[in-house]
Amino acid sequence: MATPLTDSERRKQISVRGIAELGDVVELKKSFNRHLHFTLVKDRNVATPRDYYFALAHTIRDHLVGRWIRTQQHYYEKDPKRIYYLSLEFYMGRTLQNTMVNLGLENASDEAIYQLGLDIEELEEIEEDAGLGNGGLGRLAACFLDSLATLGLAAYGYGIRYEFGIFNQKIQNGWQIEEADDWLRYGNPWEKARPEYMLPVHFYGHVQQTEDGARWVDTQVVLAMPYDTPVPGFKNNTVNTMRLWSAKAPNDFNLKDYYLTYRYHQIVTRYSNMDNVMNSYYSNKVFEVMFLCSQVAIQLNDTHPALAIPELMRILVDVEKLDWEKAWDITTRTCAYTNHTVLPEALERWPVHLFEKLLPRHLQLIYAINQKHLDNIAALYPGDMDRLKRMSLIEEGDPKRINMAHLSVIGSHAVNGVAQIHSEIVKSTVFKDFYELEPDKFQNKTNGITPRRWLLLCNPGLADAIAERIGDGFITDLYQLKKLMGYVDNEAFIRDVANVKQENKLKFAAYLENEYKIKINSSSIFDVHVKRIHEYKRQLLNCLHIITLYNRIKKEPNKAFVPRTILIGGKAAPGYHMAKMIIKLITSVGNVLNNDPIVGDRLKVIFLVNYRVSLAEKVIPASDLSEQISTAGTEASGTGNMKFMLNGALTIGTMDGANVEMAEEAGEENLFIFGMRVEDVAALDKKGYNARDYYDKLPELKQAMDQISSGYFSPKEPELFKDIVDMLMYHDRFKVFADFEAYVKCQEKVSELYKNPRKWTKVVIKNIANSGKFSSDRTIAQYAREIWGVEPSAVKIPPPNEPKA
Ligand code: Z2T
């Protein structure tokens, strides 16, 4: 008779991390030792932890190579429509564990490394984040690459190989300090330079009008060097390519000043993409340009790569000699544009004088595009001069500028926002006139996140608890999580979900203690607010709530209080004064209340230094409460909100961005929704927002503000936070005070529910069960069908036959 399995044996069998087959383990160990010897040129006596990381990285990378070659061969033979995702940012984070997860090698590698007497988590920690992005937009591009490969689409991510990623954030005396991120210092084992595909890119010069069209002559040539990184799909043997370009100016290249150098670097790498798209398209077959748009789709990740539009026109008109109408038809049918914000300061408007020197032919083409566009408007709306001015690609003024969003809308057959509410706002505000002109162009594609990195990789305990109930199909079909609604009252599942959360919290607390010597109370609510520091994201609203909680404890020290640890993290743009002041305020408030013996461990405020992809993977699975509190109408979508939901945190949030759809999916009663809706914000704007009204009416708000302005949190420098106070009192575009009362009340409900762990966990389960919509697989399938005109394929490329060593 078979002995019953132990709990851990049962878990191993259903483990979503793959099964450690003996053969695989033996092979991995051999390969690891071979790489340590031949690649790292070390033995176990002298190898450092970093050598071990590289030996493992090379071992795992070897498993990608055959699949990569085969996938590209497969695309060559089947010749499906190619998707080019053009993005100035790919915020990839680490690659080692993600590769093991997607190849199903994680448990085997764990076992192999364990048998070698090493600790795999310690090795994984050595890898640098590929921080080639700022935040949500760049991380979205990275999630999309994972989904594109998992859906078997013939896709390429095209971008820039920055030599420095986003700065590393340090905190000194409560202030943000930026340090260079020299991420390539020890080499990058995941990239392959492709000097054979190097391309010349032209700059400067002037345009000659000849009999058969324009000639751009006397240019200076710059070389663009591609580096390819493999992008594996989840267990489908597909490996796509992310191609990042590096530009080096030849020595004789004369650059006037630093600003131009910087712009030049951006521009050369931006538009070298296009040449290559054309090249890869027509290098192997007879060039039939008429079919370009049926063979290639180009998705522009915001306006940053919008030069693709005039560049494609240049190639079609100047090089391929197509007539203008044909060229424009192909261009617009090939390109599509995603908008990520409606905040006016973030919309790109490039000075014309930059183009005059650097890209004179592109400027001419943009003027010609604009002329035809304005002729069209003038014919449709005779005499409406104001409309012409509003819709022009060129904005008069000093300096004269090109509105890159207008260029992108005109040059694309589809324009999409990134959440339902945002897509509606886009149509009624920034692109109102354009929507009136071409309503069918405008679409919505609600953002998503990859469940591989944001569940399997970062929260294996939760993934296992789920798979034990509903199998592992949810990993590539996240809507299957709905089946968990059948477990809302299942005591064993409730217990498992609560236990996993507690384990994650303990692990994160241990990490904070190890790395930063910070001690936190693991039975407190982990209340987490992580994202870029921005006025519209309202970290200051959180701050005012923290101060209010503190004042309540001080007022009635013996009253019962539900303990909270408030974790706030995020980078401030180096030149954004207010964002830097917000960091200083958070750390100053922390200093006061973390050291107040009356408060004890009931309330702590921790600033999470250097928030980035790899830190998100640690903190999100350990969170109880997710702060998504932007002013309604300002956060296009948010994607952190989705990561928290999937990892069993409850959301406190406004009806903004994708929060709206999260509430729709899970039921508004299962989120902590508070505050003004978009309509309320508009009404308040109409009436006139007066911060003073709230300050006078709400004693707790007044007390908190008075403390900040009187130096309670900065005794040595009472005036320190004057700019914050003035902003909040006299020119707050984001109306923090108007939501203060509702926010504080809503936080009371959070504490109330937390007192009943069983009820809390049931709400958590309902949230997880209804998070299926927020898989980037769903998002990408919609882009594929509704913008690119391709079907995601379930075809599994056969596994490679590795050449014998
Ligand atoms: C960015 O991360 C976002 C928008 C931008 O507008 C620029 C950057 Cl770097 C130009 C974010 C949005 O703020 C966020 O709401 C959204 O979820 C994310 O892009 C992805 O769409």
Side-chain angles (χ1 to χ4, degrees):
M1 204 169 72
T3 43
L5 296 176
T6 67
D7 220 41
S8 92
E9 282 167 341
R10 190 156 38 84
R11 286 189 166 227
K12 276 253 163 67
Q13 285 205 347
I14 56 117
S15 174
V16 292
R17 308 176 106 183
I19 291 165
E21 304 270 10
L22 184 63
D24 292 344
V25 174
V26 169
E27 188 276 335
L28 287 166
K29 286 197 314 191
K30 258 194 196 157
S31 173
F32 178 94
N33 286 327
R34 218 184 305 119
H35 275 298
L36 190 65
H37 182 85
F38 287 106
T39 311
L40 281 306
V41 196
K42 289 279 180 89
D43 66 22
R44 298 275 320 239
N45 298 313
V46 291
T48 64
R50 180 166 286 106
D51 293 321
Y52 293 134
Y53 158 68
F54 277 110
L56 180 57
H58 277 99
T59 299
I60 297 303
R61 176 187 170 278
D62 287 348
H63 288 257
L64 286 165
V65 172
R67 292 177 170 86
W68 198 6
I69 293 171
R70 264 209 185 223
T71 301
Q72 301 311 311
Q73 170 87 20
H74 176 86
Y75 293 159
Y76 179 83
E77 284 163 4
K78 296 272 151 54
D79 201 21
K81 186 167 182 174
R82 309 300 207 279
I83 312 302
Y84 289 87
Y85 195 81
L86 265 55
S87 179
L88 273 282
E89 303 186 12
F90 286 96
Y91 201 172
M92 302 295 280
R94 291 177 177 152
T95 296
L96 174 60
Q97 194 189 355
N98 188 249
T99 308
M100 296 189 295
V101 165
N102 280 14
L103 264 38
L105 286 172
E106 209 187 10
N107 264 339
S109 306
D110 256 355
E111 182 60 26
I113 295 301
Y114 174 79
Q115 288 184 15
L116 290 163
L118 298 166
D119 176 355
I120 198 160
E121 284 194 40
E122 190 190 310
L123 303 189
E124 286 163 358
E125 277 298 302
I126 292 167
E127 182 173 356
E128 302 273 347
D129 277 38
L132 310 185
N134 280 292
L137 173 148
R139 182 54 233 176
L140 184 75
C143 284
F144 280 4
L145 293 186
D146 184 89
S147 288
L148 285 160
T150 297
L151 293 179
L153 291 164
Y156 304 80
Y158 267 61
I160 297 177
R161 181 178 179 272
Y162 299 104
E163 283 186 27
F164 294 90
I166 185 166
F167 64 85
N168 279 315
Q169 179 189 57
K170 297 266 160 72
I171 297 292
Q172 235 171 57
N173 190 26
W175 297 100
Q176 168 175 298
I177 304 289
E178 299 100 28
E179 281 184 3
D181 170 39
D182 191 4
W183 72 296
L184 295 169
R185 182 171 40 216
Y186 299 102
N188 176 3
W190 306 107
E191 70 183 8
K192 178 74 189 82
R194 293 293 190 193
E196 68 274 30
Y197 303 135
M198 200 149 56
L199 290 171
V201 180
H202 298 261
F203 284 98
Y204 294 106
H206 52 266
V207 183
Q208 278 178 355
Q209 299 296 339
T210 69
E211 263 169 30
D212 70 350
R215 271 166 47 93
W216 184 18
V217 296
D218 295 338
T219 59
Q220 303 202 35
V221 171
V222 170
L223 295 176
M225 166 90 91
Y227 288 75
D228 289 351
T229 298
V231 180
F234 182 72
K235 293 184 182 169
N236 65 350
N237 297 319
T238 293
V239 179
N240 284 345
T241 302
M242 175 177 72
R243 173 163 287 183
L244 301 182
W245 295 85
S246 172
K248 278 218 154 52
N251 291 336
D252 61 340
F253 199 82
N254 192 14
L255 289 165
K256 295 254 160 47
D257 58 30
Y258 175 78
Y259 180 71
L260 262 190
T261 312
Y262 167 79
R263 270 311 197 186
Y264 142 81
H265 184 265
Q266 282 202 336
I267 291 169
V268 68
T269 37
R270 275 174 201 207
Y271 104 123
S272 60
N273 292 342
M274 275 315 306
D275 249 10
N276 190 259
V277 171
M278 296 300 293
N279 250 19
S280 66
Y281 175 67
Y282 61 61
S283 56
N284 301 311
K285 45 157 73 187
V286 181
F287 180 67
E288 291 169 279
V289 78
M290 294 310 298
F291 295 119
L292 178 66
C293 50
S294 66
Q295 289 299 308
V296 172
I298 294 174
Q299 190 68 34
L300 307 175
N301 196 20
D302 214 275
T303 57
H304 316 151
L307 268 180
I309 292 165
E311 172 64 357
L312 186 47
M313 284 299 284
R314 187 187 67 83
I315 295 167
L316 297 177
V317 173
D318 295 355
V319 184
E320 299 303 326
K321 307 288 179 201
L322 260 65
D323 68 60
W324 183 276
E325 299 308 325
K326 273 261 128 69
W328 186 243
D329 184 53
I330 290 169
T331 299
T332 56
R333 288 205 275 163
T334 303
C335 296
Y337 154 56
T338 305
N339 171 281
H340 294 267
T341 185
V342 293
L343 293 185
E345 66 270 32
L347 299 174
E348 290 193 302
R349 291 144 72 245
W350 290 26
V352 163
H353 63 75
L354 275 177
F355 280 82
E356 276 165 352
K357 280 192 185 164
L358 245 60
L359 298 168
R361 179 57 183 150
H362 295 77
L363 182 60
Q364 267 189 355
L365 289 162
I366 290 169
Y367 278 140
I369 292 168
N370 194 39
Q371 190 57 56
K372 289 179 197 284
H373 160 59
L374 293 182
D375 287 350
N376 180 30
I377 309 294
L380 287 167
Y381 302 91
D384 193 343
M385 298 309 286
D386 198 56
R387 185 181 297 263
L388 286 180
K389 199 175 153 192
R390 289 199 308 268
M391 295 183 77
S392 176
L393 307 191
I394 311 294
E395 293 178 1
E396 297 301 332
D398 191 22
K400 201 162 147 181
R401 291 170 179 278
I402 300 174
N403 185 315
M404 301 307 277
H406 290 185
L407 173 63
S408 302
V409 171
I410 289 298
S412 300
H413 69 284
V415 177
N416 74 280
V418 290
Q420 197 70 57
I421 192 175
H422 166 68
S423 298
E424 291 304 320
I425 294 171
V426 158
K427 290 188 285 186
S428 62
T429 63
V430 271
F431 300 143
K432 186 170 191 291
D433 295 316
F434 293 87
Y435 174 60
E436 225 175 282
L437 183 69
E438 300 180 288
D440 297 341
K441 220 183 227 192
F442 289 81
Q443 300 195 16
N444 172 247
K445 294 288 167 282
T446 299
N447 282 165
I449 57 170
T450 170
R452 273 71 67 184
R453 182 177 295 262
W454 299 112
L455 183 55
L456 265 203
L457 178 155
C458 72
N459 202 342
L462 181 59
D464 263 352
I466 294 169
E468 196 174 318
R469 279 39 186 227
I470 65 171
D472 59 11
F474 67 94
I475 299 164
T476 49
D477 177 14
L478 206 62
Y479 278 116
Q480 289 189 26
L481 289 176
K482 202 77 316 123
K483 297 179 194 163
L484 292 176
M485 286 307 279
Y487 291 84
V488 172
D489 295 309
N490 181 306
E491 297 305 324
F493 188 59
I494 295 172
R495 190 200 57 214
D496 279 4
V497 169
N499 285 346
V500 167
K501 181 61 73 181
Q502 198 52 40
E503 283 166 20
N504 292 343
K505 289 171 73 173
L506 285 167
K507 189 171 176 188
F508 188 68
Y511 164 82
L512 282 184
E513 197 168 341
N514 265 330
E515 297 283 312
Y516 302 101
K517 316 291 160 226
I518 299 168
K519 271 202 164 76
I520 60 177
N521 172 3
S522 343
S523 59
S524 62
I525 303 178
F526 282 16
D527 171 348
V528 182
H529 198 175
V530 286
K531 51 182 79 250
R532 290 299 294 258
I533 310 290
H534 239 287
E535 286 161 85
Y536 85 82
K537 294 176 187 282
R538 296 202 298 192
Q539 281 90 0
L540 286 172
L541 180 56
N542 192 338
C543 235
L544 290 170
H545 172 245
I546 295 170
I547 298 171
T548 300
L549 290 182
Y550 171 70
N551 290 333
R552 285 182 181 182
I553 293 177
K554 295 286 274 189
K555 198 170 166 198
E556 298 181 273
N558 297 320
K559 196 176 163 193
F561 182 88
V562 182
R564 280 198 194 225
T565 302
I566 295 149
L567 298 149
I568 305 179
K571 291 175 183 176
Y576 188 174
H577 169 69
M578 194 59 73
K580 290 188 150 178
M581 290 308 302
I582 293 171
I583 292 177
K584 177 63 178 172
L585 178 61
I586 295 164
T587 53
S588 303
V589 169
N591 273 342
V592 170
L593 69 221
N594 295 346
N595 297 305
D596 189 325
I598 307 269
V599 173
D601 69 356
R602 291 184 287 180
L603 182 59
K604 293 273 181 227
V605 181
I606 311 291
F607 187 81
L608 274 184
V609 180
N610 207 25
Y611 180 63
R612 60 198 187 283
V613 175
S614 58
L615 188 49
E617 290 163 8
K618 296 184 174 75
V619 69
I620 292 172
S623 301
D624 295 307
L625 186 65
S626 158
E627 299 272 353
Q628 308 298 338
I629 61 177
S630 52
T631 315
T634 63
E635 187 71 272
S637 162
T639 45
N641 46 2
M642 302 167 186
K643 293 164 196 169
F644 282 101
M645 185 187 195
L646 183 58
N647 281 278
L650 299 187
T651 302
I652 184 163
T654 48
M655 276 298 203
D656 199 17
N659 299 353
V660 176
E661 287 156 82
M662 287 162 49
E664 189 174 304
E665 295 296 298
E668 199 171 323
E669 71 282 5
N670 294 310
L671 280 78
F672 296 99
I673 298 291
F674 72 95
M676 295 179 288
R677 319 273 154 144
V678 168
E679 304 78 45
D680 303 320
V681 175
L684 184 52
D685 262 325
K686 203 164 166 203
K687 160 173 167 259
Y689 168 68
N690 185 3
R692 184 88 208 191
D693 296 346
Y694 304 91
Y695 174 87
D696 289 337
K697 199 179 68 185
L698 304 170
E700 292 191 304
L701 173 61
K702 178 172 190 303
Q703 187 186 2
M705 286 305 296
D706 290 350
Q707 287 166 318
I708 297 171
S709 51
S710 69
Y712 188 96
F713 302 107
S714 55
K716 288 189 196 140
E717 214 181 325
E719 297 272 276
L720 183 62
F721 299 115
K722 185 174 188 310
D723 291 348
I724 289 184
V725 171
D726 285 352
M727 183 274 288
L728 288 173
M729 295 292 295
Y730 306 114
H731 43 91
D732 178 5
R733 295 170 59 206
F734 303 106
K735 306 181 177 64
V736 170
F737 292 3
D739 276 336
F740 175 81
E741 190 181 17
Y743 180 55
V744 172
K745 288 220 171 95
C746 195
Q747 288 284 20
E748 288 168 10
K749 288 198 204 158
V750 171
S751 295
E752 200 48 44
L753 185 64
Y754 198 76
K755 284 198 268 182
N756 188 335
R758 197 169 156 278
K759 263 172 107 179
W760 177 280
T761 304
K762 284 177 145 207
V763 180
V764 164
I765 292 169
K766 288 183 202 166
N767 270 268
I768 297 171
N770 290 295
S771 63
K773 177 174 184 183
F774 305 105
S775 169
S776 47
D777 298 343
R778 187 269 312 150
T779 313
I780 286 299
Q782 291 180 330
Y783 274 91
R785 297 190 174 112
E786 297 162 22
I787 298 181
W788 304 329
V790 293
E791 264 306 298
S793 84
V795 176
K796 202 170 157 181
I797 292 172
N801 306 311
E802 304 289 353
K804 293 276 170 296

